[in-house]
Amino acid sequence: MAVSQRALEAAGLGGGRGRLERLRQWREQEHVFGYGLILPALVLLTCLVAYPFGMAIYFSLSDYWVGSPGQFVGLTNYREILGNDVFRQTVQNSFVFTGFALTLKTLLGVWLAVLLARDVRFKRVLRGAVLLPWVIPTALSTLGWWWMFDSLYSVVNWTAIRLGLISAPGPNWLGQTNYAMAAVIIVNVWRGLPFFAITVLAGLMSIPREFYEAAEVDGASSRQRFWHVTLPLLKPVLAVVILFSTIFTFSDFNIVQILTRGGPVNTTHLFATLAYQIGLQGGNLGQGAAISLFLFPMLAMVVFLQLRYIRRD
Amino acid sequence: MASAASVRARRLRAALTYANLTPFVFFALFPFYFMFVTSFKRNAELYNLKAVPFWIQTGAITDHYDFLFRRTEFLIWMKNSLIVSVIAMSISLVIAILAGYSLARLRYRGVGSFGTAVFITYLVPPTLLFLPLSQVVNWLGLSDSIWALVVTYPTFLVPFSTWLLMGYFRTVPREVEECALVDGASRLQTLLRIVLPMAVPGVVCAALFGFTLCWNEFIYALTFVSQSGNKTAVVGVTADLIRGDIYYWGSLMAGAVLASVPIVVIYVWFLDYYVSGLTAGAVKG
């Protein structure tokens, strides 16, 4: 830069220097610099999130098939979907799946966090071990669960039979309706529990010790301390984690796609797996997009609550 | 006497804690152990209903791993995953550093709404957009190539990393920045030479999470790429190792174990970053 300025001056182009200086001053302004820095992110998110979202809405209102852009058909796709038994089953599945998985993750997560917060040895190793299911690629660890739930060689059944808990041959986990739902819920809890436990643990650590000491002086039992000190103070952290997990449990794809592909007889289909089956494998992009847009109300609700929560902070 | 009793009470309490933690640790780790053991078993043992499944009785073999290397494109999948993850993570990191600094530190009209917009995109699940994105990728002429993933992965990495980095940028004292500006440094120099070095833990965190999220991504990689040689490790293993016959469990588990190794290595190395990033991303946000 310095060289070019000197070159410009030597060439008698003093005005050029002034222009460069003015450019420098212009971009040093806080708002210009601020917009400049955020621009790449905004362009990316507009082109690859907002625009596709608009496209999804357009697809859902047209009879768009893979390779043949269709015509505008209004709400036909939605009407067809809502009249479809498989879709109704999917709605029910999604709520059952999310409801059970979230409840279990919350209860077990708080319990695990309380245990990890105690003064134990090997704290770091324990935390590392507990967090592992959340870090390993879900699709790959679900393959392990698939093998553990195998119809013939299931290690779960093998153990339960040897312990005398069930009689041979045991349930076909991924082939019987209620068992299949239980299996996908178990794997989702297994994968999501670390996230709950570690974040709640961080929340626990931020509670000042004095609160507990004061409660102890007042003669509160450990159970009372948990209900009247720990839990109320954990509420903000729990709210964020639960909201966050709601949207990502509701929109889950990997676990169901690998374990059951929505079966048996569609009893484990979630919105994402059904949208994949109809929109991609079936080629009906219009209906597929309409199905995945049913995730939107849940997303909107979570966004609304999260934002309200952040603003209140 | 009293102290002896209290020692005993404390020991009992510790024993109870460990007893309660054991099922959790077992639940978390058993699937990995089982996958590992399975990948070294002989087929005869694997498919013997009478054999104890928990350990290897008839000798460990590496045939399943040999199969992966000799008969499948496993190494190419791993290479694809590595290329996609490193490039997508790097691009996203640069974009997120700029955006995060802008949102955390600069005052201009609209900064609040931009922050909200980034936060909302952070919550948008990939499963909502994979169908239209598959068309966008087509139009860009990137379908069925790893570049489709390099282009689309930043859609979830940038919001996440921006949000994470904003928290770290806020911890840098304003005075340091102001001093640099008064001394005649430009705003860009201040960001690169003063603020960024002070936010290195945040950048490391965002890089680690970015790499992990890319490596683990499933639905885009499954949807946008169909040719075997262009698949990522996660999709290659889950989609291409399942063959017509039923005796594939050994190589399937071997593939799952090997494709997880890079993540495990990084994880063990940077455990504390993962823990702090996880809580920063979710709780501070």
Side-chain angles (χ1 to χ4, degrees):
Chain A
M1 189 106 107
V3 174
S4 71
Q5 272 173 21
R6 217 172 298 144
L8 286 170
E9 272 172 342
L13 290 166
R17 189 188 173 184
R19 213 173 297 149
L20 277 175
E21 180 58 28
R22 244 177 290 145
L23 182 69
R24 207 187 69 81
Q25 273 172 1
W26 177 75
R27 67 173 161 78
E28 281 300 297
Q29 285 171 286
E30 191 158 353
H31 69 275
V32 175
F33 189 65
Y35 286 126
L37 291 191
I38 194 119
L39 195 66
L42 281 186
V43 169
L44 176 87
L45 296 179
T46 309
C47 294
L48 292 176
V49 179
Y51 176 65
F53 185 72
M55 273 172 74
I57 294 174
Y58 171 72
F59 282 4
S60 75
L61 299 173
S62 68
D63 60 345
Y64 199 114
W65 286 70
V66 170
S68 78
Q71 286 173 336
F72 184 81
V73 294
L75 294 173
T76 312
N77 282 326
Y78 290 96
R79 215 172 296 134
E80 274 176 24
I81 289 167
L82 288 171
N84 184 338
D85 287 338
V86 177
F87 180 76
R88 286 196 206 147
Q89 176 78 48
T90 302
V91 175
Q92 190 195 327
N93 297 341
S94 300
F95 280 97
V96 170
F97 176 75
T98 311
F100 275 103
L102 263 184
T103 312
L104 284 170
K105 281 189 276 193
T106 311
L107 295 177
L108 293 173
V110 171
W111 176 223
L112 178 55
V114 168
L115 291 173
L116 288 172
R118 287 189 191 160
D119 207 15
V120 288
R121 260 188 242 177
F122 314 116
K123 208 174 248 180
R124 201 165 162 271
V125 176
L126 277 173
R127 282 176 199 179
V130 162
L131 192 54
L132 205 58
W134 193 78
V135 181
I136 302 290
T138 313
L140 298 180
S141 50
T142 306
L143 290 176
W145 281 99
W146 192 26
W147 170 229
M148 285 164 62
F149 286 133
D150 186 80
S151 56
L152 198 54
Y153 303 101
S154 164
V155 65
V156 180
N157 285 356
W158 191 93
T159 314
I161 291 166
R162 293 302 144 108
L163 292 175
L165 298 174
I166 55 171
S167 55
N172 178 2
W173 281 90
L174 304 176
Q176 285 167 260
T177 51
N178 289 337
Y179 283 101
M181 180 52 92
V184 290
I185 290 172
I186 289 171
V187 180
N188 182 278
V189 170
W190 174 80
R191 197 211 105 102
L193 186 59
F195 172 69
F196 272 72
I198 298 296
T199 21
V200 171
L201 178 64
L204 282 177
M205 298 315 225
S206 68
I207 299 174
R209 260 179 190 281
E210 296 84 61
F211 286 32
Y212 291 107
E213 283 158 12
E216 216 164 340
V217 170
D218 290 345
S221 68
S222 68
R223 183 166 302 188
Q224 283 171 324
R225 267 177 281 161
F226 177 77
W227 284 106
H228 297 292
V229 180
T230 313
L231 218 47
L233 289 167
L234 271 186
K235 235 175 28 196
V237 174
L238 268 180
V240 172
V241 177
I242 290 173
L243 281 175
F244 198 81
S245 180
T246 304
I247 183 68
F248 287 102
T249 309
F250 204 64
S251 65
D252 196 20
F253 175 79
N254 303 4
I255 294 171
V256 170
Q257 182 64 24
I258 287 171
L259 279 186
T260 65
R261 289 196 160 64
V265 280
N266 304 310
T267 49
T268 55
H269 253 315
L270 303 178
F271 291 108
T273 52
L274 188 65
Y276 180 80
Q277 191 187 316
I278 289 179
L280 237 110
Q281 292 177 318
N284 190 343
L285 282 175
Q287 276 202 15
I291 292 167
S292 53
L293 277 175
F294 275 90
L295 291 170
F296 183 70
M298 187 61 97
L299 172 70
M301 191 196 77
V302 169
V303 166
F304 172 76
L305 292 173
Q306 286 266 33
L307 286 177
R308 216 177 59 165
Y309 172 78
I310 290 173
R311 298 248 162 84
R312 204 176 49 197
D313 249 20
Chain B
M1 282 304 276
S3 78
S6 82
V7 166
R8 206 173 304 142
R10 207 183 310 141
R11 278 206 191 130
L12 187 70
R13 203 177 131 83
L16 264 176
T17 305
Y18 289 118
N20 277 309
L21 274 171
T22 311
F24 281 108
V25 175
F26 179 79
F27 182 50
L29 298 185
F30 180 73
F32 300 121
Y33 167 78
F34 197 60
M35 288 161 84
F36 189 75
V37 166
T38 302
S39 71
F40 288 103
K41 276 187 193 170
R42 282 172 208 280
N43 274 343
E45 187 183 348
L46 213 46
Y47 305 113
N48 176 0
L49 279 169
K50 301 222 169 68
V52 180
F54 296 108
W55 44 81
I56 304 167
Q57 287 163 315
T58 53
I61 51 157
T62 56
D63 294 16
H64 302 308
Y65 290 88
D66 283 348
F67 176 84
L68 272 189
F69 291 121
R70 300 234 174 96
R71 307 275 302 279
T72 75
E73 300 185 78
F74 184 76
L75 285 174
I76 296 175
W77 301 333
M78 291 292 270
K79 192 191 77 189
N80 289 341
S81 269
L82 193 69
I83 295 173
V84 169
S85 304
V86 169
I87 300 179
M89 180 264 279
S90 314
I91 295 173
S92 308
L93 202 56
V94 172
I95 298 177
I97 287 172
L98 301 180
Y101 179 73
S102 176
L103 291 175
R105 265 307 155 74
L106 301 171
R107 278 157 302 195
Y108 52 91
R109 200 188 299 173
V111 64
S113 346
F114 291 153
T116 309
V118 169
F119 181 68
I120 291 173
T121 52
Y122 174 34
L123 291 177
V124 173
T127 43
L128 183 60
L129 296 178
F130 73 101
L131 286 173
L133 269 178
S134 71
Q135 295 301 298
V136 172
V137 162
N138 260 339
W139 295 336
L140 292 173
L142 299 174
S143 58
D144 209 357
S145 83
I146 59 171
W147 301 104
L149 307 178
V150 172
V151 167
T152 48
Y153 284 0
T155 57
F156 55 83
L157 290 186
V158 167
F160 169 78
S161 317
T162 305
W163 201 252
L164 186 77
L165 285 166
M166 277 166 72
Y168 284 91
F169 285 139
R170 288 215 179 94
T171 63
V172 176
R174 258 181 205 285
E175 296 76 43
V176 182
E177 257 174 279
E178 277 156 13
C179 279
L181 284 174
V182 168
D183 285 348
S186 73
R187 287 190 182 272
L188 194 61
Q189 285 168 335
T190 312
L191 167 59
L192 296 180
R193 304 229 178 104
I194 312 290
V195 179
L196 208 51
M198 293 177 86
V200 162
V203 177
V204 173
C205 229
L208 286 174
F209 270 89
F211 185 86
T212 312
L213 286 172
C214 288
W215 189 278
N216 297 4
E217 205 283 330
F218 185 59
I219 188 167
Y220 288 174
L222 181 69
T223 308
F224 304 158
V225 179
S226 47
Q227 211 177 303
S228 183
N230 291 335
K231 283 182 175 159
T232 59
V234 168
V235 172
V237 170
T238 42
D240 281 25
L241 289 184
I242 299 165
R243 289 164 290 142
D245 55 283
I246 58 160
Y247 300 115
Y248 51 70
W249 285 106
S251 54
L252 196 60
M253 292 301 114
V257 168
L258 271 192
S260 305
V261 164
I263 296 298
V264 173
V265 171
I266 301 174
Y267 174 68
V268 169
W269 208 262
F270 293 100
L271 177 62
D272 297 325
Y273 282 97
Y274 273 94
V275 174
S276 71
L278 179 59
T279 50
V283 178
K284 275 185 205 153

